Amino acid sequence: PLKKVKNANLSVPPPQESKGITPFRLNKDKSSVTITVVGASGDLAKKKIFPALFALYYEDCLPEHFTIFGYARSKMTDAELRDMVSKTLTCRIDKRANCGEKMEQFLKRCFYHSGQYDSEANFAELDKKLKEHEAGTIANRLFYLSIPPNIFINAVKSASISASSANGWTRVIVEKPFGRDSESSAALTTALKQYLEEDQIFRIDHYLGKELVENLSVLRFSNLIFEPLWSRQFIRNVQLIFSEDFGTEGRGGYFDNYGIVRDIMQNHLLQILALFAMETPVSLDAEDIRNEKVKVLRSMRPIQLDDVVIGQYKSHTRGGVNYPAYTDDKTVPHNSLTPTFAAAALFIDNARWDGVPFLMKAGKALHDRRTEIRVQFRHVPGNLYKRNFGTNLDHETNELVIRVQPDEAIYLKINNKVPGLGMRLDRSNLNLLYSTRYSGEIPDAYERLLLDAVEGERRLFIRSDELDAAWSLFTPVLKDLEDKKTVPEYYPYGSRGPVGAHYLAAKYKVRWG
Ligand code: NDP
Ligand code: BG6
């Protein structure tokens, strides 16, 4: 196997390291990059990967010599791939005047090769085609595995044996799920490492590419006012909320094998938690940041079963429209106990966060779509204005809300005097709404992550020890839930979710935001 080809182009200077302060731009040099989307006929490739690649091309972020290959079993010609891809390029870029022209140029750089995922011979054919586009350059290759997890290893094996770069770097982006528990995740890592070095593996968690998640560190470490308050001394609780107003439509088959805890909590929400709670890293270098994230994850208390509530949506009729139950999906067993909703209380047993509940809530088919981080601060000691608030103590504490999506915003709830004679207080927002403050479009998470992978920037990708720590936290409680065949609390499609989540919050004197 060609495992040792990792960054084999030692004579070539490494890609310019970005410290995340300026927009990333590749040096336009003599090297080429080919990006092979393995599983190009699939949903993710169409929905996210090709549009993101086009956006990068449009923004002039891809190197001068780049080529995109789609690879999958489906039979397609280059023209058919281009036709398929062109239908997906409906992103924000469309609004611009020269988009059509750029699209044509982009599509000319897209090619297709049909092959089996476990065939070294088929990947060798791909290799031959890639070489035709790489002639005379240092050939860097990025493979994006956009395929179901059960075929990851076969594809990595065949690609690394037959289609690794001979004189440049070879990197592989791997999509979640990275296993379904500690054991299967470790087995996947071991198998991947038979063919790749750790620094060739880019495990994607697309939430890390979201603008406001990336901004978390800026908010904390680049403003004087937040970091001093960022501890048990001033913070009462932290809430991490993921809510979708649609069900598992079309992905029931995948979802039933994983459930909401593995789909959202163990990765997206836990990654946000780690960035939120980590200590100040030594620098913005990927390893320094990931070292701090691992430390937080390893300081977390094992999750107790009675600190977890699970739910599953049931059908509901509203306004004459019938919304289906999770188990109405033909690809889901009718008696499935898989949770589509979960809430959990987590704790970090270190000096900074001792005793502060981190409440997570994730659900599908709820009443709204949003992802938020809500930080509820403690009461003002001896508050002079207490009687102005009546008995509702919640109304006197500050709350910082980081709205990751939709309508990206950061706002701080403060107590304020209502203008006029007399003394009446209310709660108002100091509001940074991105759409009013910034005119530019916010890039899709996949754009940022793809560019980082091309540039070799690992800050927003998951290292294997982070993954191990994340699974160590969730595996025991998932096993408990599954061994005990815990029945989820049923909630109507489009509702606020199970009442149990409110009892769980109340147990820690918290009210969900
Ligand atoms: P798909 O189910 O659409 O599969 C992608 C391609 O893989 C298919 O077009 C098909 O191509 C091939 N394929 C599918 N099933 C099999 C099989 N059993 N054996 C061999 N080949 C198969 O996946 P998605 O595009 O939805 O997702 C790709 C990866 O990204 C998965 O790991 C998924 O979990 C992950 N992901 C997906 C998200 C999404 O929104 N879709 C979100 C986050 C992660 P062909 O038949 O042409 O070979
Ligand atoms: C994926 C989950 O990782 O994230 C999906 O598998 C979920 O179930 C999706 O819908 C949400 O991503 P986004 O970017 O649309 O919030």
Side-chain angles (χ1 to χ4, degrees):
L2 297 181
K3 180 174 173 177
K4 302 300 173 204
V5 295
K6 132 191 119 140
N7 292 337
N9 53 332
L10 293 178
S11 58
V12 182
Q16 197 177 19
E17 284 294 321
S18 167
K19 295 298 174 203
I21 292 164
T22 49
F24 305 124
R25 289 275 186 262
L26 275 181
N27 279 335
K28 307 261 174 188
D29 57 20
K30 285 249 170 326
S31 59
S32 66
V33 174
T34 55
I35 302 169
T36 303
V37 182
V38 181
S41 55
D43 181 57
L44 187 72
K46 285 184 234 172
K47 228 172 45 187
K48 294 290 185 182
I49 304 173
F50 285 111
L53 287 169
F54 174 56
L56 290 177
Y57 175 68
Y58 192 91
E59 301 291 346
D60 202 21
C61 291
L62 292 178
E64 199 176 332
H65 304 286
F66 85 93
T67 309
I68 295 171
F69 260 83
Y71 184 100
R73 295 171 310 177
S74 303
K75 299 277 175 240
M76 249 192 277
T77 60
D78 291 342
E80 283 164 339
L81 173 87
R82 288 172 190 163
D83 187 47
M84 181 194 90
V85 169
S86 69
K87 294 195 181 105
T88 71
L89 305 184
T90 56
C91 56
R92 61 202 170 87
I93 308 283
D94 262 358
K95 293 176 207 138
R96 315 262 186 97
N98 62 343
C99 183
E101 198 184 307
K102 280 280 203 180
M103 214 183 262
E104 284 300 309
Q105 293 163 2
F106 174 78
L107 291 171
K108 281 190 192 145
R109 308 274 197 118
C110 296
F111 300 87
Y112 184 76
H113 186 73
S114 164
Q116 299 295 322
Y117 301 107
D118 58 357
S119 165
E120 288 167 32
N122 290 167
F123 273 97
E125 291 155 14
L126 172 74
D127 179 65
K128 227 166 154 186
K129 288 189 181 172
L130 294 182
K131 282 186 176 133
E132 288 168 18
H133 294 272
E134 296 166 339
T137 64
I138 291 148
N140 299 313
R141 293 184 179 180
L142 176 64
F143 291 87
Y144 194 130
L145 295 193
S146 183
I147 44 178
N150 57 323
I151 46 178
F152 281 174
I153 299 302
N154 282 340
V156 166
K157 181 177 178 212
S158 312
S160 76
I161 291 174
S162 302
S164 280
S165 167
N167 65 355
W169 49 252
T170 302
R171 297 180 185 143
V172 179
I173 298 182
V174 189
E175 264 291 349
K176 67 178 255 266
F178 313 119
R180 57 188 312 286
D181 52 23
S182 290
E183 206 182 321
S184 53
S185 168
L188 178 63
T189 300
T190 307
L192 285 174
K193 287 190 180 174
Q194 273 181 272
Y195 307 104
L196 301 167
E197 299 287 351
E198 174 65 23
D199 65 1
Q200 291 180 282
I201 307 171
F202 287 68
R203 296 180 192 81
I204 231 172
D205 182 316
H206 76 284
Y207 265 64
L208 291 181
K210 294 204 184 252
E211 186 63 42
L212 270 85
V213 176
E214 224 205 332
N215 189 49
L216 251 180
S217 298
V218 178
L219 189 74
R220 283 187 64 187
F221 302 125
S222 195
N223 290 294
L224 182 68
I225 59 167
F226 294 115
E227 192 53 18
L229 303 181
W230 223 250
S231 73
R232 65 189 300 276
Q233 209 183 336
F234 298 103
I235 292 177
R236 201 159 47 113
N237 69 79
V238 180
Q239 302 178 15
L240 302 152
I241 301 173
F242 169 96
S243 162
E244 276 183 341
D245 56 3
F246 49 89
T248 57
E249 284 94 323
R251 292 186 76 216
Y254 149 82
F255 193 87
D256 202 63
N257 197 23
Y258 292 91
I260 198 81
V261 178
R262 294 183 178 91
D263 192 44
I264 303 293
M265 281 189 169
Q266 181 270 350
N267 35 65
H268 303 331
L269 293 188
L270 192 62
Q271 282 297 321
I272 296 178
L273 184 150
L275 282 175
F276 180 95
M278 70 183 182
E279 297 300 316
T280 314
V282 174
S283 76
L284 288 174
D285 184 76
E287 298 320 318
D288 288 334
I289 294 176
R290 297 192 294 184
N291 287 345
E292 294 307 327
K293 284 166 68 194
V294 174
K295 278 192 220 159
V296 175
L297 296 177
R298 292 180 57 197
S299 305
M300 294 188 73
R301 194 185 299 171
I303 304 170
Q304 304 302 311
L305 195 55
D306 56 7
D307 275 340
V308 178
V309 170
I310 57 169
Q312 188 187 89
Y313 63 88
K314 59 181 182 182
S315 65
H316 182 58
T317 304
R318 194 171 1 114
V321 181
N322 183 41
Y323 295 91
Y326 170 64
T327 48
D328 288 342
D329 185 327
K330 298 270 175 292
T331 58
V332 170
H334 68 96
N335 55 354
S336 170
L337 297 177
T338 301
T340 58
F341 175 99
L346 293 88
F347 292 89
I348 304 171
D349 285 336
N350 65 13
R352 188 188 280 262
W353 296 114
D354 190 10
V356 177
F358 283 77
L359 292 178
M360 279 186 185
K361 181 163 80 166
K364 294 200 174 260
L366 294 173
H367 76 296
D368 64 358
R369 174 179 175 255
R370 65 181 164 132
T371 302
E372 284 178 349
I373 307 163
R374 302 183 82 97
V375 188
Q376 296 187 340
F377 290 90
R378 291 190 183 281
H379 298 102
V380 176
N383 190 341
L384 278 178
Y385 292 96
K386 196 162 179 171
R387 68 193 142 90
N388 282 278
F389 294 105
T391 51
N392 193 347
L393 287 182
D394 267 349
H395 281 174
E396 60 180 277
T397 62
N398 297 118
E399 185 173 24
L400 174 69
V401 181
I402 298 162
R403 191 161 65 219
V404 176
Q405 64 185 30
D407 303 327
E408 291 82 350
I410 301 172
Y411 55 96
L412 180 62
K413 295 189 178 184
I414 59 158
N415 297 312
N416 204 50
K417 177 180 171 298
V418 178
L421 301 175
M423 177 58 70
R424 200 160 62 80
L425 304 195
D426 75 355
R427 283 233 294 181
S428 297
N429 289 347
L430 295 179
N431 196 353
L432 170 59
L433 183 61
Y434 273 46
S435 60
T436 48
R437 175 68 182 90
Y438 300 107
S439 55
E441 292 280 345
I442 296 179
D444 186 75
Y446 281 87
E447 290 169 37
R448 193 184 315 271
L449 294 168
L450 269 158
L451 184 54
D452 279 359
V454 170
E455 293 200 317
E457 168 62 81
R458 292 171 178 78
R459 203 161 36 101
L460 301 179
F461 294 90
I462 317 288
R463 211 168 59 186
S464 66
D465 54 348
E466 277 185 83
L467 186 60
D468 292 346
W471 276 123
S472 301
L473 185 63
F474 277 98
T475 298
V477 75
L478 281 164
K479 193 168 170 349
D480 263 5
L481 285 166
E482 284 160 8
D483 286 353
K484 295 196 165 86
K485 296 199 182 341
T486 310
V487 178
E489 206 178 314
Y490 295 96
Y491 61 97
Y493 193 118
S495 69
R496 287 173 189 271
V499 209
H502 297 279
Y503 290 126
L504 175 66
K507 181 170 151 190
Y508 294 104
K509 301 190 173 50
V510 176
R511 187 182 294 178
W512 290 106

